[in-house]
């Protein structure tokens, strides 16, 4: 039994959580102020997105100084206060470590540019091909090529993300030592968890070669060295403590690697985020498209990860939302007609699976995509690049905008909706990004809809702590070809927890397999009143229900 199975983690995007200074940007004091709200929800740990010094080209994932607090979020003293104050509320902190790349404004990159050999070896610099073209044909994940000229040296540096995010050379032991120092610095401040950004990209091969697909993911993702580096990171930093929770953000990984990253015997990480289940509304694997979600594929992916990770002794981070994703209720449900049913059904589907659930700020009150009318409301660099690429492909403005509205990462970055005041009580100044107009009826303080959703989250969070079957049980997917219901059973010490999740508005019937009938069935939680388990089980719009069978 490890120490994180019954925990629930709450993700705060500090920039959009609570502003206490009036500069329009959320801050660390804002997090302190809202701790009672978080304690009431019942969560154990807060994951904070990056608040380090950064030019904010990629909202803090372009770090210029890893051991600092950007003045826009407060001071190091605020951070120390936060650790202490959170502890009083029984909450610990998980920090976001962006160790794959630095901002080009980081001192290391700047000194490299000025010719210091030591720091040039911190980055991945290559000569152009003999014909003068880029070192490889790899694409940046944010659009365009992944190489940019390194000053006037004639060389190029690798940037898998924005041109201002230069990939670090993890093969250089000095770089690894720097990174271990960063992690240890925060550990000494009392941090109890780490989320490692795109960490499966650090083990790049020595040789850089062209990709057959012109993209290159398969050439730099999950390379064998990644596991060695993670084991070293573990040994040199958090592995020295016995209560640290770590989660690796794994871009395009496999179940096989997921097991390796998170099986405790391998001393790498506690768990991983994978994203395959959030690509089921991509047409032909392309994000910047519009398509209804493929429910069968969604179930198949969730089932494959649950089963595979369980069989291999790995552990999943469970989530629908984060700061890179459009809101799940806008994607997979009906927020107009069934806002409570949609939000509670999605929540229950995740929270009762095997793994550790993450709640992203605002999902517990049913926040949705904002449906911004025009491009100038959007801030994200990836969004703007995508818009221009769509236009270049010949899409008319309104069609491109429909895609942007559905897919932009800004959908998840709108300010937390606290109340009906101007700017939803997020700031007294001008928010850095616009508040969603529906804050008048979706908000913490004065919304019945939000209140109902939040109460349901509280019950789900409590259940994980009260019922060992939720935190410890095995997983088995059932009725996998049912057209509208995702059903699974958790099993532990002779008990079963049967969970039925209906992903559509049109009522449907589930034929309950005999093995679950003729047992004592207690309804544990559901979003549609009291239910009894019966052979022909009717499910209503976005209904979710769980029965404990003895
Ligand atoms: O994201 C990594 C990542 O690959 C994505 O989720 C990415 O945002 C998506 O593919 C774009 O469509 C992490 C961070 O969560 C993200 O905010 C950063 O921008 C990125 O790394 C770079 O640090």
């Amino acid at each position: 039994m490890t120490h994180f199975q019954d925990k629930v983690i709450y993700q705060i995007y500090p920039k959009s959580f609570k502003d206490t200074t009036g500069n329009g940007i959320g801050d660390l004091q804002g997090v302190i102020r809202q701790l009672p709200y978080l304690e009431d929800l019942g969560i154990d740990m807060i994951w904070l997105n990056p608040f380090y010094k950064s030019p904010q080209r990629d909202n803090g994932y372009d770090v210029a100084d890893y051991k600092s607090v950007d003045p826009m979020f407060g001071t190091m003293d605020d951070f120390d206060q936060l650790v202490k104050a959170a502890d009083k509320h029984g909450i610990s902190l998980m920090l976001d470590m962006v160790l794959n790349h630095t901002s080009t404004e980081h001192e290391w990159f700047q000194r490299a540019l000025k010719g210091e050999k030591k720091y040039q070896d911190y980055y991945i610099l290559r000569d152009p091909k003999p014909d003068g073209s880029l070192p490889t044909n790899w694409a940046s994940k944010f659009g365009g090529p992944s190489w940019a000229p390194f000053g006037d040296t004639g060389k190029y540096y690798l940037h898998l993300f924005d041109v201002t995010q230069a990939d670090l050379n993890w093969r250089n032991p000095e770089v690894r030592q720097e990174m271990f120092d960063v992690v240890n610095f925060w550990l000494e401040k009392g941090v109890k968890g780490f989320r490692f950004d795109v960490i499966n990209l650090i083990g790049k091969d020595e040789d850089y070669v062209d990709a057959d697909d012109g993209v290159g993911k398969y050439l730099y993702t999950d390379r064998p060295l990644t596991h060695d580096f993670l084991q070293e990171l573990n040994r040199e930093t958090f592995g020295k403590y016995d209560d640290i929770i770590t989660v690796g953000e794994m871009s395009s990984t496999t179940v096989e690697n997921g097991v390796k990253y998170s099986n405790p015997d391998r001393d790498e990480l506690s768990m991983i985020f994978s994203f395959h289940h959030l690509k089921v509304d991509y047409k032909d694997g392309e994000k910047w498209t519009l398509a209804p979600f493929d429910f069968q594929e969604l179930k198949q992916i969730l089932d494959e990860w649950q089963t595979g990770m369980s069989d291999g002794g790995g552990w999943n981070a469970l989530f629908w939302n984060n700061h890179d994703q459009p809101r799940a209720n806008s994607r997979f449900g009906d927020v107009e007609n069934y806002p409570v049913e949609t939000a509670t059904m999605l929540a229950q589907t995740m929270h009762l699976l095997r793994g550790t659930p993450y709640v992203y700020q605002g999902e517990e009150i049913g926040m949705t995509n904002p449906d911004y009318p025009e491009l100038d409301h959007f801030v994200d660099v990836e969004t703007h690049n995508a818009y221009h690429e769509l236009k270049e492909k010949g899409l008319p403005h309104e069609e491109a905008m429909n895609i942007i509205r559905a897919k932009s990462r800004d959908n998840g970055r709108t300010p937390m909706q606290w109340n009906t005041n101007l700017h939803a009580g997020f700031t007294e100044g001008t928010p850095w990004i616009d508040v969603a107009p529906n804050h008048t009826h979706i908000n913490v303080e004065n919304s019945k809809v939000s209140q109902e959703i939040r109460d349901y989250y509280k019950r789900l969070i409590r259940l994980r702590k009260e019922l060992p079957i939720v935190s410890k049980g095995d997983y088995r997917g059932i009725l996998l070809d049912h057209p509208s219901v995702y059903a699974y059973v958790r099993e532990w010490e002779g008990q079963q927890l049967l969970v039925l999740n209906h992903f559509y508005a049109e009522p449907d019937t589930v034929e309950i397999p005999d093995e679950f009938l003729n047992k004592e069935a207690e309804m544990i939680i559901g979003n549609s009143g009291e239910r009894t388990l019966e052979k022909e089980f009717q499910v209503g719009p976005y209904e979710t229900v769980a029965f404990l069978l003895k």
Side-chain angles (χ1 to χ4, degrees):
M1 177 71 185
T2 33
H3 56 285
F4 47 80
Q5 291 169 322
D6 63 351
K7 301 284 187 282
V8 177
I9 300 176
Y10 186 89
Q11 182 189 351
I12 288 184
Y13 197 65
K15 225 175 162 174
S16 298
F17 192 60
K18 177 74 187 167
D19 173 24
T20 60
T21 64
N23 69 350
I25 298 170
D27 44 53
L28 297 179
Q29 284 296 338
V31 179
I32 295 177
R33 194 172 293 177
Q34 302 302 341
L35 285 168
Y37 172 81
L38 299 170
E39 181 179 4
D40 177 62
L41 201 55
I43 56 109
D44 301 281
M45 183 174 257
I46 301 169
W47 152 25
L48 290 167
N49 287 93
F51 51 75
Y52 322 106
K53 276 195 187 126
S54 160
Q56 299 283 319
R57 270 283 298 188
D58 185 25
N59 287 8
Y61 284 92
D62 45 333
V63 180
D65 179 356
Y66 289 96
K67 300 181 187 170
S68 70
V69 174
D70 196 291
M72 75 168 70
F73 295 114
T75 63
M76 194 56 92
D77 189 47
D78 292 333
F79 181 78
D80 293 332
Q81 268 184 48
L82 172 59
V83 176
K84 286 206 191 77
D87 187 56
K88 291 209 180 87
H89 291 272
I91 294 173
S92 49
L93 296 183
M94 168 181 274
L95 295 198
D96 210 319
M97 295 284 112
V98 193
L99 309 185
N100 175 67
H101 43 263
T102 73
S103 164
T104 49
E105 288 187 21
H106 195 289
E107 189 192 342
W108 302 334
F109 194 86
Q110 288 301 316
R111 291 176 73 167
L113 268 183
K114 291 199 184 98
E116 282 188 55
K117 174 83 179 70
K118 171 181 159 82
Y119 292 106
Q120 291 184 350
D121 287 342
Y122 275 36
Y123 295 93
I124 297 169
L125 307 181
R126 290 290 183 278
D127 291 318
K129 294 208 189 91
D131 67 0
S133 63
L134 297 177
T136 68
N137 61 354
W138 302 0
S140 152
K141 289 173 187 275
F142 290 168
S146 66
W147 298 93
F150 183 67
D152 53 12
T153 61
K155 289 185 187 293
Y156 289 82
Y157 68 93
L158 179 72
H159 64 90
L160 293 179
F161 293 88
D162 185 57
V163 59
T164 64
Q165 292 166 301
D167 281 61
L168 283 161
N169 174 20
W170 270 72
R171 303 178 78 96
N172 177 351
E174 286 181 71
V175 166
R176 301 205 293 280
Q177 196 51 55
E178 296 272 16
M179 295 294 120
F180 302 157
D181 284 351
V182 169
V183 176
N184 284 325
F185 173 84
W186 292 106
L187 278 167
E188 281 156 27
K189 287 196 164 285
V191 164
K192 295 289 178 201
F194 295 99
R195 178 262 190 195
F196 293 104
D197 190 58
V198 292
I199 202 70
N200 61 332
L201 308 185
I202 59 175
K204 296 174 189 82
D205 293 345
E206 179 87 84
D207 293 328
Y208 285 76
V209 295
D210 271 352
D212 298 337
D213 60 1
V215 177
K217 276 187 198 174
Y218 72 97
L219 287 170
Y220 59 72
T221 303
D222 289 332
R223 305 309 294 153
L225 256 189
T226 311
H227 295 287
D228 298 345
F229 291 159
L230 282 175
Q231 286 167 6
E232 192 182 340
L233 174 68
N234 179 315
R235 249 190 340 266
E236 298 295 324
T237 66
F238 56 84
K240 295 178 179 160
Y241 303 66
D242 56 15
D243 58 347
I244 306 298
I245 302 182
T246 55
V247 54
E249 191 215 19
M250 301 298 171
S251 177
S252 310
T253 193
T254 58
V255 172
E256 190 195 349
N257 273 293
V259 164
K260 287 189 178 168
Y261 292 128
S262 62
N263 182 314
D265 296 340
R266 293 182 51 92
D267 289 327
E268 296 187 21
L269 302 170
S270 313
M271 65 186 100
I272 66 151
F273 287 115
S274 67
F275 295 92
H276 303 276
H277 65 295
L278 296 175
K279 297 185 178 173
V280 296
D281 54 0
Y282 289 16
K283 199 186 283 168
D284 303 323
E286 238 319 291
K287 169 170 170 168
W288 300 98
T289 53
L290 284 182
F293 75 101
D294 183 333
F295 179 58
Q296 294 306 321
E297 194 188 355
L298 175 67
K299 282 202 290 187
Q300 183 246 310
I301 291 171
L302 290 173
D303 185 66
E304 178 193 333
W305 277 86
Q306 283 288 306
T307 310
M309 292 288 267
S310 175
D311 290 350
W315 195 253
N316 286 300
L318 306 170
F319 73 107
W320 287 114
N321 293 291
N322 68 28
H323 63 292
D324 292 332
Q325 297 291 330
R327 292 281 179 178
N329 49 355
S330 297
R331 284 167 91 167
F332 302 109
D334 180 345
V335 291
E336 291 304 319
N337 302 300
Y338 300 105
V340 176
E341 293 81 351
T342 295
T344 52
M345 183 279 289
L346 290 172
Q348 178 155 323
T349 302
M350 270 308 157
H351 280 246
L352 299 186
L353 285 173
R354 176 182 175 279
T356 298
Y358 287 67
V359 179
Y360 180 57
Q361 66 181 47
E363 80 171 61
E364 78 281 14
I365 55 165
M367 278 177 61
T368 67
N369 290 348
D371 279 329
Y372 291 143
E374 275 308 327
L375 188 65
D376 58 6
H377 292 259
F378 292 86
V379 178
D380 183 21
V381 54
E382 186 202 36
T383 303
H384 283 271
N385 292 347
Y387 174 81
H388 292 297
E389 285 182 13
L390 291 170
K391 288 286 292 190
E392 273 162 31
K393 281 190 199 146
L395 261 77
H397 172 74
E398 205 34 51
E399 268 179 52
M401 282 310 301
N402 283 338
I403 297 177
I404 296 296
R405 276 187 210 109
K407 295 299 175 83
S408 171
R409 302 193 296 180
D410 285 338
N411 282 312
R413 299 177 179 185
T414 63
M416 180 71 179
Q417 295 168 201
W418 295 105
N419 55 40
T420 52
N421 296 352
L422 183 65
H423 308 314
F426 161 68
T427 180
E428 310 224 311
T430 308
W432 71 275
I433 189 167
D434 291 323
V435 170
N438 68 5
H439 75 269
T440 48
H441 61 280
I442 299 287
N443 64 69
V444 173
E445 286 170 31
N446 342 74
S447 153
K448 190 165 164 291
V449 165
S450 296
Q451 184 64 49
E452 279 182 45
I453 299 172
R454 185 147 65 103
D455 285 344
Y456 206 91
Y457 268 84
K458 287 192 206 173
R459 289 168 65 198
L460 285 170
I461 293 169
R462 229 182 302 127
L463 261 190
R464 173 163 292 265
K465 303 184 183 306
E466 288 169 1
L467 285 186
I469 196 168
V470 176
S471 54
K472 298 181 191 166
D474 291 331
Y475 163 92
R476 178 156 60 92
I478 56 169
L479 304 168
L480 284 171
D481 43 16
H482 192 285
S484 72
V485 170
Y486 175 37
Y488 58 83
V489 56
R490 304 288 309 282
E491 297 178 307
W492 185 72
E493 294 196 344
Q495 296 188 356
Q496 292 179 312
L497 184 69
L498 175 66
V499 187
L500 306 171
N501 309 292
H502 181 218
F503 274 69
Y504 293 90
E506 302 71 35
D508 208 342
T509 305
V510 191
E511 182 115 354
I512 303 294
D514 288 337
E515 61 163 315
F516 304 115
L517 299 166
N518 308 321
K519 284 187 181 170
E520 189 194 317
E522 182 195 349
M523 181 184 148
I524 294 292
I525 186 167
N527 66 358
S528 188
E530 271 313 306
R531 299 297 318 263
T532 32
L533 190 62
E534 55 202 6
K535 180 94 193 142
E536 300 289 318
F537 192 83
Q538 311 285 325
V539 281
Y542 300 99
E543 180 164 0
T544 181
V545 61
F547 295 97
L548 188 64
L549 311 175
K550 287 183 206 164

